[in-house]
Amino acid sequence: SESVAAIMARNGCGHVPVYRAATRHIGCSLAESAEGRGYEAWLRKFGDASSSPPSSSDKKALHVVYINTSLETKATSASILPTITCTSSNVLQTILQASAQMGPDRLQICYGPDTYMGENLKSLLDAVLSHDESWTDSRIRDELHPLHTRESLRHLRDNLHVYPHGNCIVHHMFGNSVVETVSDKYADAYVTAHLEVPGEMFQIALEKSMNDEGVVGSTSNILQFIERKVEEAAKDMPSSRQHPHNGSQPHNGSTPQSQQSSSPKRRLKFILGTEAGMVTSIVRSVQDILDAHRCRDVEAEII
């Protein structure tokens, strides 16, 4: 609500009231972890070093802060270090671009307050660097950033500092018990993981993503992955190939018995490694895809 009010005011509409749904305090454990003195003290360690007299070996510091923090946190942070706000969708490109512009061996990036997201970014860079045969300099330039190579990513990884005491209690629930259930009972499922989930869950999705059996990233990345897998499955089923989009389907919506496929249904299983609020948009999108292909032989299970 405070962000909406600030945006309205900046655009000359400060007289328009912004109402909250409830008068009681609406807390966020992640945002609150950056509002104490500990976060400010952590930033000042890098701010003091960055403002020391220049020399040929000095490194500059940049603070990349997750958008799910208060305006007060952003303002206080900006008074200590140059600060850029990011989302889960653009955080990787943000740190890649900043590193490329300032020099990956000269720039220290301080990421916070989401400890899980920061550590997962490190894991993502480690995964790329550990696959030297598949992640060549050419592929890195094509798929990650045109100004980066394996060497520059290694410098970025070594100069990425993560705040150690911040997390979201919702994503914190994806702990060991959930990971064990996923590993034991859903080995055949696609695994998705938001950048905010704990490292164990993130690692499963990261390993799966190397074989296109999972995805790590933002909610939009997760939705796009599920849509793509459902689309591929729908196109591959006989029922889709038998029923071109020519409007020949009976008015009652049923499929003639002579056209019904005798092939077994295919069920796609997706582990949703983020908050359950995404389910509605996923279900709507999956239904639209299957309806567009008139496919009744594919099912999607969101776990």
Side-chain angles (χ1 to χ4, degrees):
S1 59
E2 65 179 18
S3 295
V4 171
I7 293 170
M8 296 287 284
R10 184 174 180 177
N11 287 275
C13 298
H15 61 284
V16 177
V18 176
Y19 297 97
R20 287 177 50 185
T23 56
R24 63 181 176 82
H25 174 67
I26 303 173
C28 169
S29 59
L30 178 61
E32 289 166 1
S33 66
E35 294 170 1
R37 293 183 178 180
Y39 195 75
E40 183 178 336
W42 177 71
L43 288 178
R44 289 196 182 281
K45 290 192 305 180
F46 299 96
D48 294 341
S50 183
S51 61
S52 60
S55 71
S56 59
S57 61
D58 278 341
K59 293 183 177 181
K60 295 299 182 182
L62 173 71
H63 176 221
V64 178
V65 63
Y66 192 34
I67 194 170
N68 289 355
T69 49
S70 68
L71 292 178
E72 182 179 357
T73 293
K74 296 178 178 72
T76 301
S77 300
S79 71
I80 301 171
L81 280 179
T83 296
I84 295 178
T85 300
C86 72
T87 68
S88 58
S89 297
N90 67 19
V91 61
L92 180 59
Q93 285 303 310
T94 297
I95 64 173
L96 286 170
Q97 180 64 24
S99 176
Q101 282 187 224
M102 299 297 294
D105 58 336
R106 298 291 305 278
L107 181 67
Q108 297 186 95
I109 296 179
C110 308
Y111 179 79
D114 196 320
T115 305
Y116 287 144
M117 184 177 291
E119 293 298 334
N120 289 339
L121 287 170
K122 284 187 173 183
S123 295
L124 186 58
L125 293 172
D126 284 337
V128 171
L129 292 170
S130 65
H131 290 75
D132 53 340
E133 293 184 1
S134 57
W135 279 100
T136 61
D137 286 349
S138 177
R139 183 181 178 189
I140 289 171
R141 285 191 292 265
D142 289 342
E143 298 186 23
L144 289 183
H145 195 282
L147 298 180
H148 275 285
T149 63
R150 293 183 59 80
E151 181 180 3
S152 66
L153 288 186
R154 191 171 292 106
H155 284 301
L156 170 57
R157 165 64 177 79
D158 294 341
N159 288 318
L160 179 59
H161 307 278
V162 178
Y163 181 63
H165 305 299
N167 65 68
C168 165
I169 58 174
V170 175
H171 291 98
H172 185 66
M173 292 188 293
F174 291 92
N176 288 332
S177 61
V178 174
V179 170
E180 290 174 2
T181 301
V182 170
S183 300
D184 294 343
K185 297 184 179 180
Y186 297 98
D188 60 337
Y190 295 111
V191 180
T192 73
H194 193 274
L195 284 168
E196 287 187 75
V197 303
E200 301 93 339
M201 184 70 184
F202 186 85
Q203 285 295 332
I204 293 178
L206 182 58
E207 291 174 10
K208 290 256 190 180
S209 71
M210 295 298 171
N211 299 315
D212 200 31
E213 296 176 353
V215 66
V216 295
S218 64
T219 51
S220 60
N221 296 141
I222 292 172
L223 179 59
Q224 290 165 7
F225 175 81
I226 294 175
E227 288 175 338
R228 177 168 62 84
K229 287 300 180 182
V230 172
E231 182 93 26
E232 291 172 354
K235 289 180 178 179
D236 194 46
M237 295 304 289
S239 59
S240 295
R241 294 195 293 268
Q242 291 173 2
H243 304 152
H245 299 195
N246 58 9
S248 59
Q249 186 169 323
H251 293 297
N252 62 8
S254 64
T255 302
Q257 186 66 32
S258 60
Q259 294 184 5
Q260 289 182 2
S261 171
S262 59
S263 61
K265 288 182 178 292
R266 180 182 177 188
R267 170 169 288 199
L268 306 179
K269 298 179 181 179
F270 297 95
I271 303 294
L272 185 61
T274 186
E275 62 267 18
M278 273 196 71
V279 170
T280 300
S281 58
I282 292 173
V283 169
R284 183 183 300 115
S285 183
V286 168
Q287 289 175 336
D288 288 345
I289 292 170
L290 296 179
D291 287 344
H293 288 278
R294 296 181 182 173
C295 179
R296 300 294 177 264
D297 297 329
V298 173
E299 297 177 341
E301 180 181 359
I302 311 300
I303 305 160

